[in-house]
Each structure stands twice: as C-alpha cells, then as structure tokens.
Amino acid sequence: MEPDGWISWYNQRWYEYTGATPAEMEGWGWQQVHDPAELPKVLEAWRAALESGEPFEMTSPLRAAGGQYRQFLTRILPLKDAHGRVIRWFGTNTDITVQREAEQRIRELNRDLERRVKEFETLLEVMPVGVAVALDPECRDIRLNPAFAQMLGVDPGQNVSKTGSDTHRLPFRV
C-alpha cells in the first residue's frame, strides 16, 4: 500500500477467496468485501492508523466469492524511512474462522463443566453419606463432605491427607 492507504497489489489467494478482480480491488476497493455492518468501524480504525502511522490490527468478517463471510485477522504494518515517515504499508489477512469456532466451543464446554461441578458440589454437600475426595493424584489433598466430616468430628474444609500440608492430622492408620 501507498502511504495514503491506496492498495495496488494483492496476492493470488486474495483474489481466489474474494472472487474479485485486480481492477475491483485497486485503491480502496477492498471495502466491497467487508460486512457492511462492520465497515464503518474498520474504516475508522484504518484512517486512525493512516493518520498516526501506527500498526493496524482488527478482526472482521470478509465475504468470500460464494457470498459467505468468514472471520479474518487483519494486520497492517507501516514501513518507515530513516526519518520515521511511512513510505509503504504491508498487510496480511488471516482466516481465523476455525479458531474462533473452536474458542466458542471451548467457552461452551467450560460453562457446561462449571455447571456440572456446581451440581456435583451441591450433591456432596447434601448427601447423607460420607464422601472423601482426593483433589490431586498423589492424595496430598483429601477433603470430606459435611456428612463424613461430622462422622469423624473434623472441620469439613480440613485436608485429611496424612501427607498433606495441614498441621492437624487425623489418627488414621495405614
């Protein structure tokens, strides 16, 4: 890109993805492949980068040749001369759709796991049977539910492991 943001070159993958021609993309033609709802934010941020000479980074949907939108991470760096003036810009667009979908799935799984953990903790609190849970593979942190702690006459929050870090040990025999 020129210092003013005029784009004169894209790689072949850009044309394959967008279905656009070099003539359609020249200059500020890239705007036509942006989601119209997102374009004002993109333009505002890009104009601010042009004015400041600072790098540009933004995620926004770009339209493919078939009409569907995918999420892209756009990064544009200024190339400056010895006096700090922008002489060109170099940018990349990276399709991060699969990454974003995976991140969303992980968030959903984490929410489900948190819900299940809360349900399990609630069950442990109200069950009328004694339950001991080792919180680590080495059994250095063993906790009791309230029913078991009451049976043994100990604090429910106390670590009852013989090898744990609490100073009070239960009189268990190995």
Side-chain angles (χ1 to χ4, degrees):
M1 284 171 249
E2 299 301 321
D4 64 359
W6 182 269
I7 301 176
S8 57
W9 182 85
Y10 292 90
N11 66 18
Q12 187 60 37
R13 289 185 69 191
W14 173 264
Y15 296 118
E16 290 167 3
Y17 175 78
T18 63
T21 67
E24 292 171 323
M25 290 291 104
E26 187 175 358
W28 289 67
W30 54 267
Q31 295 177 59
Q32 66 182 300
V33 299
H34 274 268
D35 180 343
E38 297 289 320
L39 184 58
K41 289 188 281 190
V42 174
L43 285 169
E44 181 181 348
W46 177 227
R47 287 184 177 125
L50 287 171
E51 189 175 305
S52 69
E54 293 298 314
F56 173 90
E57 183 174 310
M58 183 175 241
T59 300
S60 59
L62 298 178
R63 189 181 65 244
Q68 72 278 16
Y69 284 89
R70 296 180 63 85
Q71 286 293 321
F72 278 78
L73 170 62
T74 301
R75 289 183 171 151
I76 306 173
L77 296 175
L79 304 174
K80 298 180 179 183
D81 64 15
H83 303 289
R85 290 185 300 255
V86 175
I87 54 174
R88 295 196 67 74
W89 293 88
F90 180 79
T92 61
N93 288 292
T94 305
D95 186 343
I96 59 168
T97 305
V98 172
Q99 175 185 336
R100 282 284 176 94
E101 290 168 351
E103 290 169 351
Q104 177 60 32
R105 181 68 180 135
I106 289 169
R107 281 190 295 275
E108 291 167 3
L109 289 170
N110 280 333
R111 279 192 299 273
D112 187 49
L113 178 61
E114 288 171 7
R115 180 186 55 78
R116 290 175 185 229
V117 166
K118 286 178 182 171
E119 289 172 357
F120 179 69
E121 289 172 341
T122 300
L123 284 173
L124 287 177
E125 291 291 319
V126 300
M127 287 174 45
V129 297
V131 178
V133 177
L135 300 177
D136 63 292
E138 295 82 25
C139 296
R140 293 185 186 279
D141 191 359
I142 300 175
R143 304 297 168 144
L144 308 176
N145 74 337
F148 202 4
Q150 184 179 10
M151 287 180 221
L152 296 175
V154 298
D155 175 17
Q158 180 178 345
N159 179 6
V160 298
S161 170
K162 286 188 81 162
T163 58
S165 60
D166 286 3
T167 57
H168 297 91
R169 295 282 172 241
L170 294 176
F172 294 135
R173 293 185 184 192
V174 180

